[in-house]
Amino acid sequence: MILKKYIVTAIAAMMLLGIHSCKIGPNYKRPQADLGKQYRFSNQTDTLTFADTSWTKLYKDTVLQNLIRKGIRANFDLRIAYARVNQALSQFKAARAELFPSIGADGAAAYQNSQKPPSGTVEYNDVYAVGTLSWELDIWGKLRRAKESARAQMLSQEAYRQATYINLITSIALGYYNLIEYKDELSITRDNVRIREEALSLVKAKMIAGTASGLVVAQAEAELATVKTQIPALERAVGIQENAVKLLLGDLPGEVKTGIPLIAQVDTTIIPKTGIPASLIVRRPDLIAAEQQLISANAQIGVARGMMMPTLSINASLGYSTLGAGIIGSAVGGLVAPIFGWGKLRAGLRKAQAYNEEMLATYQKAIYTAIGEVSDGMLSVNKEREMVVQQKNLRNAAQTAFDLSNQLYNAGYASYLDVINAQRLLYQAEIQLSQAQLSSLESLVNLYLALGGGWK
């Protein structure tokens, strides 16, 4: 009983010493950085941000909303991110378990029957059972630094999962918008084929009537053939884009139905609020992940320093034997100190310090990159909207020119070449307007992503 009390008291004292001992290595402090009071191309100085808008309110098309929900359930990259979080969680639990004693058990039973004349048969029965305890006392905080590092890695993977989540939502939305735009171009092209077929029939009738030459017919046929060559390329683009969207949904290649027109997908007249740069650090998952990587690297310096310090451990056992000994037990403390290792431990420390410097630069670069993406996003939103206005003006002017060229040709005041040129300009203007509307939509969605939107 005295031995048992001694072991329990010693273990309790050791645990108390481990809890209140120091932690070797530097404590983490968030790096100071001059982020500015506002983004470039934005005069906003309050914390309200466009990123607070729920993605279900930004993306109004119910077809798109259903696709996004399906992608969240089945996307491969998101499933991979979830698995990595679980791996990091297990690693953290393993590191945390190192702080506590390892408890085991051992036992054996023996029976021996032997003949020893003249006394006769001699029998031996023994049952042996013992509980064991081994524990490395964390007097320098090495194990706690390892736990701190593992915890930061776990939080980094969780932030990576969040980044994958909002990037997936954006990718599905942009893929869907590109699909609608390709379909719009295909529709515009087919309409132009129909118009050119009608024009060809008209000039053929005029040639029969003697009011148009064979050259005019040949020109009309060439224009029709030129536009028709665009259809296979656009049909291919539609099919490839549908397959790309299906992959984001974790699905096999196939057709993707679309909903409302491109110009009605998002209210592009809204003026997005950017907030302030300081709020970006705690909002964007990729920045959170980068900071957690820095925290982990900082903790690893403490682990490397701890490897250079003596290790104190205890091993204890307590058991019972039926063969006379009764209660048996032991308690042994050990102190192991590194003396000479050819600089291996110091090299490990320098490696940990260099890695911490790398993670610091990576984190700072990520912050400046994120701020630049928001600034670029604001500029793109404003300029893409201006381009849409100009493209609408171009399309209207081209439509007027086409109508006038037809009237003048039918009246005999213009050549058919003038009609062809006006028709070609109108076709190009309609395609460019469709592309400009897509670019304007993309700029708004990319700004939403740059601000960390999509998590709600």
Side-chain angles (χ1 to χ4, degrees):
M1 291 298 292
I2 295 175
L3 179 62
K4 180 179 179 182
K5 290 180 179 179
Y6 173 78
I7 293 173
V8 172
T9 303
I11 292 173
M14 292 286 189
M15 292 185 69
L16 187 63
L17 177 62
I19 291 171
H20 293 285
S21 60
C22 64
K23 283 201 294 185
I24 198 169
N27 293 322
Y28 175 76
K29 293 182 180 178
R30 178 176 289 172
Q32 298 296 319
D34 182 13
L35 305 180
K37 295 182 179 180
Q38 62 188 41
Y39 298 101
R40 191 185 181 194
F41 310 117
S42 173
N43 57 6
Q44 185 180 345
T45 56
D46 58 43
T47 57
L48 295 177
T49 171
F50 175 47
D52 289 331
T53 305
S54 169
W55 66 263
T56 56
K57 296 191 182 308
L58 179 66
Y59 306 128
K60 299 186 296 183
D61 191 340
T62 55
V63 175
L64 173 58
Q65 290 180 4
N66 291 332
L67 292 178
I68 291 174
R69 291 188 179 96
K70 183 176 181 180
I72 291 172
R73 291 193 302 269
N75 178 261
F76 296 112
D77 291 330
L78 196 55
R79 287 165 57 189
I80 292 170
Y82 271 109
R84 287 178 178 174
V85 170
N86 290 331
Q87 292 173 38
L89 176 61
S90 299
Q91 187 64 35
F92 167 68
K93 290 180 178 179
R96 184 178 59 185
E98 292 293 330
L99 290 167
F100 302 99
S102 297
I103 299 174
D106 188 16
Y111 172 77
Q112 183 177 359
N113 187 331
S114 60
Q115 298 291 330
K116 290 188 177 181
S119 60
T121 303
V122 177
E123 293 185 355
Y124 293 94
N125 293 284
D126 186 21
V127 177
Y128 168 82
V130 63
T132 61
L133 179 146
S134 61
W135 184 32
E136 179 184 340
L137 191 63
D138 191 30
I139 56 177
W140 309 110
K142 178 184 69 175
L143 299 180
R144 278 170 288 160
R145 289 298 188 193
K147 185 189 80 168
E148 180 183 336
S149 177
R151 179 179 183 275
Q153 287 289 342
M154 177 187 67
L155 295 177
S156 176
Q157 289 300 327
E158 172 59 23
Y160 170 77
R161 182 188 69 82
Q162 294 178 6
T164 304
Y165 181 93
I166 65 175
N167 274 283
L168 171 63
I169 292 174
T170 300
S171 296
I172 293 174
L174 292 178
Y176 181 74
Y177 294 154
N178 274 272
L179 176 60
I180 293 176
E181 199 280 325
Y182 281 138
K183 288 184 175 182
D184 287 347
E185 286 192 33
L186 183 58
S187 177
I188 292 170
T189 302
R190 285 172 173 163
D191 286 343
N192 272 266
V193 166
R194 178 182 53 78
I195 292 171
R196 281 166 169 76
E197 287 175 341
E198 292 174 355
L200 178 59
S201 298
L202 178 62
V203 295
K204 281 182 176 180
K206 288 190 173 186
M207 185 181 71
I208 293 172
T211 57
S213 67
L215 175 61
V216 171
V217 174
Q219 289 174 331
E221 289 175 339
E223 277 301 302
L224 175 59
T226 299
V227 177
K228 279 186 173 181
T229 59
Q230 301 298 317
I231 291 180
L234 289 170
E235 289 175 338
R236 180 188 63 187
V238 168
I240 291 175
Q241 189 62 30
E242 285 179 327
N243 292 344
V245 172
K246 281 287 190 177
L247 179 60
L248 291 172
L249 306 182
D251 205 350
L252 292 172
E255 183 182 5
V256 177
K257 300 292 185 180
T258 54
I260 59 180
L262 193 65
I263 57 174
Q265 289 288 331
V266 173
D267 183 6
T268 55
T269 62
I270 61 175
I271 301 176
K273 294 183 179 294
T274 59
I276 57 176
S279 65
L280 202 63
I281 297 176
V282 295
R283 178 180 294 277
R284 276 188 47 154
D286 58 329
L287 299 186
I288 296 173
E291 184 177 19
Q292 291 299 327
Q293 288 289 337
L294 177 59
I295 293 172
S296 175
N298 182 78
Q300 283 298 320
I301 296 176
V303 174
R305 286 191 182 277
M307 296 294 292
M308 303 171 69
M309 306 300 291
T311 300
L312 178 61
S313 61
I314 61 170
N315 291 279
S317 63
L318 183 66
Y320 182 80
S321 174
T322 61
L323 192 61
I327 296 175
I328 56 175
S330 66
V332 179
L335 183 66
V336 179
I339 297 176
F340 187 70
W342 302 97
K344 182 175 72 172
L345 297 179
R346 189 166 295 278
L349 174 60
R350 287 196 293 266
K351 178 182 177 182
Q353 291 170 335
Y355 183 68
N356 183 65
E357 292 174 2
E358 177 191 347
M359 290 298 99
L360 174 59
T362 301
Y363 177 53
Q364 291 171 331
K365 179 184 177 182
I367 292 174
Y368 280 73
T369 300
I371 293 174
E373 288 174 352
V374 175
S375 299
D376 293 347
M378 280 300 300
L379 179 62
S380 296
V381 167
N382 294 332
K383 296 306 175 182
E384 292 292 349
R385 288 176 177 178
E386 292 179 12
M387 291 176 65
V388 169
V389 173
Q390 297 301 325
Q391 286 295 337
K392 285 181 178 179
N393 293 337
L394 174 59
R395 192 272 312 272
N396 294 338
Q399 183 66 59
T400 301
F402 176 64
D403 293 340
L404 289 174
S405 66
N406 269 309
Q407 294 172 14
L408 292 172
Y409 172 71
N410 291 329
Y413 293 108
S415 68
Y416 193 71
L417 183 60
D418 294 326
V419 176
I420 290 174
N421 289 334
Q423 193 173 39
R424 187 180 302 156
L425 178 61
L426 176 59
Y427 172 60
Q428 293 173 348
E430 289 176 334
I431 294 293
Q432 290 170 359
L433 175 59
S434 178
Q435 293 172 347
Q437 289 171 336
L438 172 64
S439 296
S440 179
L441 198 55
E442 287 178 331
S443 66
L444 192 63
V445 172
N446 284 326
L447 176 60
Y448 182 63
L449 176 64
L451 289 168
W455 184 242
K456 291 186 177 182

